[in-house]
Amino acid sequence: MRTIKTWWLVAAFVSGFGLAMLAEDLALRWHNNLIEFSAPHLHFLAGQPLERLQHGAQVPFDFKISLYSGAKNHLFKQLAERFLFSYDVWGEQFSVVKTQSPRIQVTHLDVADAEAWCWKQMHMDPSGLDDAEKLWTRVEIRVPPDTKISNPLGPDRISESGINLNGLIELFSRPPASTQPHWMLENGPLTFEEVKRGSRRGS
């Protein structure tokens, strides 16, 4: 079983295309009164998207995190964000722009730091959750087919900084194209107290 899991992970990283990954690959952490998410075994900055960056293109990565509470079909909260990556060929470093408000840019990052920075921006306020409440989490990451932001959703879906939040969530309502790099990770059920307790053990 360990061999099969390893093969799946290698295939995902090399190809740059998605698969549903095991729950242990999506981690939830309680920190500073927020739920933070990470995926230590998922390296989305690889394969086809990395090749595009190394050829001078800007590449957007779209993230959506959905947190379900009480029941697997009861949506508690949802986050969506577009991160725009560029690559300095000479310096071999990445720049990343978080496009939703507040717009933030970071520069001079290596692969690991660039990926980690994106996850750090996707924290969630759990106000309203009871400790005993069961939680399920789904993370989706997609790379649009080309670097130009098209506008299939109407002019109200695009702002000066790119696609707006409603437009981004609407894009995720459509299945990804077969050739589109995409990933999906899931976790749960676990209680909010278990998230907190795990965070205390890890600190």
Side-chain angles (χ1 to χ4, degrees):
M1 182 65 92
R2 184 182 298 274
T3 301
I4 293 174
K5 180 186 173 185
T6 301
W7 182 88
W8 274 22
L9 294 174
V10 170
F13 302 156
V14 171
S15 67
F17 298 107
L19 74 167
M21 304 183 75
L22 302 181
E24 66 189 75
D25 293 301
L26 175 61
L28 279 65
R29 179 174 180 245
W30 171 247
H31 181 65
N32 290 336
N33 295 323
L34 298 169
I35 296 178
E36 297 180 345
F37 306 88
S38 63
H41 301 300
L42 172 62
H43 301 290
F44 57 85
L45 200 53
Q48 183 198 103
L50 181 58
E51 290 177 6
R52 286 167 55 183
L53 283 162
Q54 290 173 334
H55 284 87
Q58 287 188 312
V59 178
F61 287 80
D62 294 336
F63 278 60
K64 187 181 78 168
I65 298 181
S66 303
L67 184 66
Y68 302 86
S69 65
K72 198 173 182 179
N73 61 352
H74 178 257
L75 182 64
F76 171 74
K77 191 166 290 187
Q78 197 168 65
L79 298 174
E81 183 60 73
R82 169 167 283 180
F83 297 99
L84 186 61
F85 276 72
S86 56
Y87 182 67
D88 178 359
V89 176
W90 301 109
E92 297 185 340
Q93 294 179 316
F94 296 89
S95 298
V96 190
V97 177
K98 174 184 174 293
T99 64
Q100 303 299 317
S101 180
R103 184 182 174 93
I104 306 171
Q105 181 174 7
V106 290
T107 60
H108 302 96
L109 302 177
D110 61 19
V111 170
D113 288 341
E115 291 180 337
W117 186 82
C118 293
W119 285 108
K120 275 287 188 182
Q121 311 313 305
M122 299 300 294
H123 50 72
M124 187 176 288
D125 181 358
S127 299
L129 285 178
D130 295 327
D131 282 357
E133 201 153 7
K134 289 185 177 180
L135 305 176
W136 291 260
T137 310
R138 174 176 294 170
V139 174
E140 298 173 74
I141 304 173
R142 298 184 186 182
V143 179
D146 63 44
T147 57
K148 294 181 180 179
I149 300 176
S150 59
N151 188 3
L153 305 172
D156 61 328
R157 301 302 192 191
I158 301 293
S159 67
E160 291 181 1
S161 61
I163 191 167
N164 69 23
L165 181 60
N166 290 335
L168 189 54
I169 290 176
E170 190 168 334
L171 283 178
F172 276 100
S173 68
R174 307 173 180 182
S178 60
T179 57
Q180 180 180 4
H182 60 280
W183 300 263
M184 184 177 73
L185 302 91
E186 296 184 329
N187 189 315
L190 74 169
T191 66
F192 188 25
E193 174 59 29
E194 287 173 327
V195 174
K196 293 179 178 179
R197 196 164 60 237
S199 301
R200 289 194 290 267
R201 284 200 303 266
S203 60

